[in-house]
Amino acid sequence: MSTLTLDEIKSAQQRINAMIAAFEAQAASPYHFPEATIELAPGEHYAGIVLGKDGKASYHLVLLPHTPDERLTWNAAVEWAKITGGNLPTRREQSLLFANLKEEFEGDWYWSGEQHAATSGSAWSQSFVNGGQDYYYKSYEGRARAVRRLTIE
C-alpha cells in the first residue's frame, strides 16, 4: 500500500476547488419579465415569449394576419414579409408558432427567414402538419407568414 503525500492531497484539493467553481458558474440565472400590455392590430395573434440566448434580449412574438394569395419562392417570401411590415420567422419562432398557434396555419410547410448554412441555395421551413423542420431549394414555392417582435426591456 502506498503512502499518501501532502502534494497529492493539495493536487486533489485543487481539482475539487475547480469542480466547485465550475458547478457554481453553471447556476441558473433568473429570468425577469416585467408585465407588458401588447397592442394587437386586428387579425394579429400573440404567439408567446422567445427567450434571449447568448446575451440577446428576450422578446414577444406576434403573428401578423396577412397571408400571400399564392405560394412564393424564398426570395419572394422575404420581400413579401417586409411589405407587410414584418419578417419571416426564424426556426425557433416557427417552433413556437407551431406549439401555440398551429390552427392559424394551413396544413402545409412555410418558409422561415433562415438560410441553410451549408447549402446556400436552400432555406429552412416548418411543417404545420407534423411540426418537422426541413430545408428546400429557395426556388421552390412554399407558403409564408410574417411576424413582428417586441423586445422585453
Side-chain angles (χ1 to χ4, degrees), residues 8 15 17-18 38-39 43 50 52-53 58 60 65 93 97 101 107 110 124 130 133 139-141 153:
E8 290 172 329
R15 285 193 309 275
N17 289 342
I38 298 168
E39 300 285 333
V50 178
K53 293 181 98 177
S58 299
H60 298 280
E93 292 167 348
L97 291 166
L101 294 175
Y110 287 74
W124 286 98
N130 61 17
Q133 293 188 343
S139 60
Y140 287 9
E141 293 183 346
E153 298 180 24

Side-chain angles (χ1 to χ4, degrees), residues 3-151:
T3 304
L4 190 59
T5 67
L6 181 59
D7 287 340
E8 290 172 329
I9 294 170
K10 287 180 179 180
S11 177
Q13 183 65 44
Q14 287 175 341
R15 285 193 309 275
I16 291 170
N17 289 342
M19 289 171 48
I20 290 170
F23 180 79
E24 289 175 341
Q26 71 184 9
S29 298
Y31 278 94
H32 173 72
F33 297 108
E35 289 187 34
T37 301
I38 298 168
E39 300 285 333
L40 296 177
E44 289 185 338
H45 295 278
Y46 180 74
I49 294 174
V50 178
L51 298 178
K53 293 181 98 177
D54 301 325
K56 293 182 181 174
S58 299
Y59 58 93
H60 298 280
L61 186 69
V62 176
L63 177 65
L64 300 181
H66 317 290
T67 57
D69 295 330
E70 59 196 18
R71 297 170 74 86
L72 303 170
T73 64
W74 185 78
N75 289 325
V78 169
E79 290 306 312
W80 168 84
K82 288 179 187 174
I83 291 168
T84 69
N87 298 98
L88 292 179
T90 65
R91 292 176 66 197
R92 285 182 70 209
E93 292 167 348
Q94 283 184 319
S95 293
L96 183 65
L97 291 166
F98 181 80
N100 292 344
L101 294 175
K102 180 183 176 188
E103 68 280 0
E104 296 301 321
F105 292 80
E106 297 292 324
D108 206 345
W109 64 270
Y110 287 74
W111 286 118
S112 86
E114 292 186 42
Q115 298 181 65
H116 191 274
T119 310
S120 63
S122 299
W124 286 98
S125 68
Q126 170 81 41
S127 168
F128 280 85
V129 175
N130 61 17
Q133 293 188 343
D134 205 346
Y135 57 94
Y136 295 101
Y137 290 116
K138 294 177 187 177
S139 60
Y140 287 9
E141 293 183 346
R143 294 186 175 273
R145 291 295 297 267
V147 296
R148 65 182 174 99
R149 300 167 184 96
L150 302 165
T151 302

